Amino acid sequence: MVDPGNAVTESDETDNRTAATLVVRSQPAPNLVVQSGNIGIHPADPVQGDAVTLTVTIVNNGSAPAEDVLVQFVDVTGGGSRTIGLKARPSNASTPGRTRRRRWCTIRPARAANGASAS
């Protein structure tokens, strides 16, 4: 706006204002994606005592690199939640998808009839 208080006598007071649209974008941010099709288990049908290799591919489809990402593998057998591995993923702006692997042994303590852990 020009001359908001009409202190200057002008031939046309109606052309002293205009407007413009300013679009403010959000800052670039990572968007980490894990899909079930990007999770691998080898061997696919392990038996108790087998060593299993778990793999997961994490994709960053965001607009900025991800920094200091921690990937967690969790055993949810029987409704529980037990961490079986953590892997740090260093930042790497040039790699669109990174695969993490975790070797895990399927041996679990046997359960006695009363629910206590048997040894």
Side-chain angles (χ1 to χ4, degrees), residues 24-46:
V24 178
R25 295 179 294 154
S26 58
Q27 290 186 340
N31 182 35
L32 302 177
V33 178
V34 177
Q35 296 174 327
S36 60
N38 290 348
I39 297 173
I41 302 169
H42 183 75
D45 295 315

Side-chain angles (χ1 to χ4, degrees), residues 55-110:
T55 59
V56 61
T57 299
I58 300 105
V59 177
N60 179 2
N61 66 9
S63 55
E67 304 279 340
D68 302 321
V69 174
L70 191 62
V71 177
Q72 181 177 20
F73 294 89
V74 179
D75 178 4
V76 294
T77 303
S81 178
R82 181 175 66 122
T83 299
I84 57 175
L86 294 172
K87 288 280 193 169
R89 180 209 181 272
S91 64
N92 188 338
S94 63
T95 306
R98 295 289 301 251
T99 300
R100 289 283 165 242
R101 289 179 177 80
R102 171 71 179 158
R103 194 147 171 86
W104 175 57
C105 186
T106 60
I107 297 174
R108 302 185 89 184

